[in-house]
DNA sequence: CTATATCAATCAATCGCTTGATTAATTTTG
DNA sequence: CAAAATTAATCAAGCGATTGATTGATATAG
């Protein structure tokens, strides 16, 4: 029973994650979620207290899977650039596998209100940001990266490029020429392409001397 | 009177654009909009038919201002790279001035349903995409850009980097070290920084030979 | 020049419906 | 039996939308 309870809660969270990511927090109704999960509507409140509680539970379940990805990366003996490549590898995989969560994460992060929730979401993402900053700064300090790189903007590019593809799949599919929402395509075509591209893009930017002729 | 009528509709559209971008389509209520615009709720339906009609009106009002930005760019005698630089200049300005619209545009574009609306939004954006593709292809053809660039991904980077900053201002502000939502900061610091960064980033990627050692 | 008719604009009131949440009763479990 | 889990029924609140009445300006008619 204890096991079943957990499984049931987990099942609800799976469904909620999907519905939230498809319709947004406001667009998704508790009836939608309970209906799709085949549970009574009252169970959502019974387990999670409220709709917002359910949403937070969805988010918090993912935290751990994101927290410890990059912690160890900083302490290895790799060169800064190798760390970046490794980061892109890990990040590329994570993105594809959790794209539905990523979508919901960044959509709600854009909403102006909901400060309590936004703070929680932001703190999760900031872990990755901080780790990446350290790597980039180290690269500059060691003279392996160009001295005048814009660290903050590099991260905006890394996260932004991924978000653009994940969050506006209809645009991305038209541009790329295949359906980025299709799981098979995603795994076989999108994932490697993102990785190759991001590596080349960052390598060119980080390791090219930018003469300031202007 | 005729003038006042137009101004009133325009005023409603201004308010609606702001409220929609802050709360999303579902999160914004017609009462919110009519209240903030100081008009009777029924006026929204009287003028625009429905909530969705109002939303579409907000979007369509912007179309023209986006359509003809880049049309002429393709037909000038400039080199592909100069066109790209010019594109970044124009795009950078547009972004800052219409960031609230951009936000609402991409948020709703991410929603899976709403096909009618998404199609309209997508068609607007595709105009820019097509123009930029032509420029990049031309650069490759003329041998000024590296032959193995990923055109689609370059565009995802261009649009995605901007979107990341605009759509997740709380993240971007933390990373950049100043409030990207502040109009003054936006104009004086963000705008030039985006332009400089994007030019360097694209220049490095487009004009660096990418050896495929792997 | 009045008087009448027409029309877009505006309003308060209210419609039917959905929302998130709660209740009280029932079933399941240990 | 007692506790936990589950259910159907119900709640007030808020939603988008519609209604019928009213306004004031303009056009028409006598």
């Amino acid at each position: 029973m204890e096991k079943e309870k957990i499984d049931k809660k987990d099942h609800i969270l799976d469904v909620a994650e999907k519905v939230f990511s498809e319709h947004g927090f406001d667009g998704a109704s508790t009836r939608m979620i309970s209906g799709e999960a085949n549970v009574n509507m009252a169970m959502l409140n019974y387990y999670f207290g409220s709709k917002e509680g359910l949403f937070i539970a969805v988010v918090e379940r993912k935290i751990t899977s994101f927290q410890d990805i990059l912690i160890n990366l900083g302490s290895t003996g790799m060169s800064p650039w190798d760390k970046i490549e490794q980061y892109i590898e890990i990040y590329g995989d994570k993105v594809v596998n959790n794209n539905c969560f990523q979508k919901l994460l960044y959509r709600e992060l854009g909403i102006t209100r909901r400060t309590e929730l936004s703070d929680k979401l932001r703190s999760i993402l900031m872990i990755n940001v901080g780790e990446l900053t350290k790597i980039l700064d180290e690269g500059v300090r060691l003279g392996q990266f160009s001295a005048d790189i814009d660290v903050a903007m590099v991260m905006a590019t890394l996260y932004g490029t991924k978000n653009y593809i994940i969050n506006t799949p209809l645009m991305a599919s038209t541009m790329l020429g295949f359906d980025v929402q299709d799981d098979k395509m995603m795994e076989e075509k999108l994932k490697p392409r993102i990785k190759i591209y991001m590596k080349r893009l960052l390598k060119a930017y980080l390791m090219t001397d930018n003469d300031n002729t202007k």
Side-chain angles (χ1 to χ4, degrees), chain A:
Chain A
M1 183 205 75
E2 178 68 12
K3 186 173 177 298
E4 281 185 329
K5 188 180 67 182
I6 295 178
D7 284 352
K8 188 159 199 171
K9 282 180 85 167
D10 238 45
H11 172 62
I12 293 175
L13 289 173
D14 287 337
V15 173
E17 184 179 319
K18 177 167 150 283
V19 176
F20 275 135
S21 75
E22 280 172 356
H23 299 85
F25 181 81
D26 292 308
S29 74
T30 54
R31 283 172 176 79
M32 260 188 218
I33 297 170
S34 63
E36 194 148 333
N38 274 103
V39 300
N40 190 281
M41 224 188 59
M43 297 309 294
L44 303 189
N45 294 299
Y46 180 73
Y47 281 133
F48 307 102
S50 68
K51 184 188 182 183
E52 179 155 330
L54 171 59
F55 187 84
I56 292 178
V58 169
V59 173
E60 286 189 328
R61 189 174 61 145
K62 287 279 177 180
I63 296 186
T64 51
S65 80
F66 278 90
Q67 270 179 341
D68 41 27
I69 312 171
L70 308 160
I71 299 301
N72 300 331
L73 202 56
S75 54
T76 61
M78 303 167 85
S79 76
W81 173 249
D82 285 343
K83 285 179 183 173
I84 295 289
E85 280 202 326
Q86 192 63 32
Y87 187 101
I88 291 172
E89 279 292 329
I90 298 170
Y91 188 66
D93 288 334
K94 273 283 164 194
V95 162
V96 176
N97 300 335
N98 295 290
N99 70 84
C100 133
F101 175 70
Q102 295 280 329
K103 207 167 166 177
L104 113 84
L105 188 66
Y106 277 96
R107 190 199 316 286
E108 298 309 321
L109 212 56
I111 301 280
T112 313
R113 67 199 149 93
R114 275 208 269 286
T115 55
E116 174 200 6
L117 192 52
S118 312
D119 285 349
K120 194 182 283 278
L121 299 180
R122 200 160 65 256
S123 69
I124 300 170
L125 298 172
M126 271 306 161
I127 298 170
N128 282 17
V129 170
E131 239 13 75
L132 188 54
T133 305
K134 268 192 279 181
I135 296 174
L136 289 169
D137 286 341
E138 186 195 10
V140 173
R141 191 163 36 79
L142 296 179
Q144 296 180 8
F145 296 161
S146 174
D148 57 355
I149 62 170
D150 193 329
V151 172
M153 291 296 280
V154 168
M155 291 189 294
T157 290
L158 181 58
Y159 299 132
T161 301
K162 179 267 302 174
N163 282 351
Y164 187 85
I165 295 168
I166 298 298
N167 295 350
T168 61
L170 296 174
M171 291 289 294
S173 296
T174 311
M175 291 176 0
L176 289 166
F178 59 88
D179 182 11
V180 298
Q181 304 211 76
D182 180 284
D183 280 346
K184 191 173 146 68
M185 287 295 190
M186 212 163 201
E187 185 65 32
E188 292 180 4
K189 301 186 76 171
L190 182 60
K191 194 190 276 193
R193 190 157 165 187
I194 287 185
K195 290 179 182 175
I196 291 173
Y197 169 75
M198 286 308 305
K199 286 178 189 173
R200 286 195 186 165
L201 178 70
L202 292 194
K203 187 173 193 176
Y205 177 75
L206 296 174
M207 297 182 162
T208 301
D209 273 334
N210 304 303
D211 56 317
N212 314 3
T213 54
K214 199 167 184 177

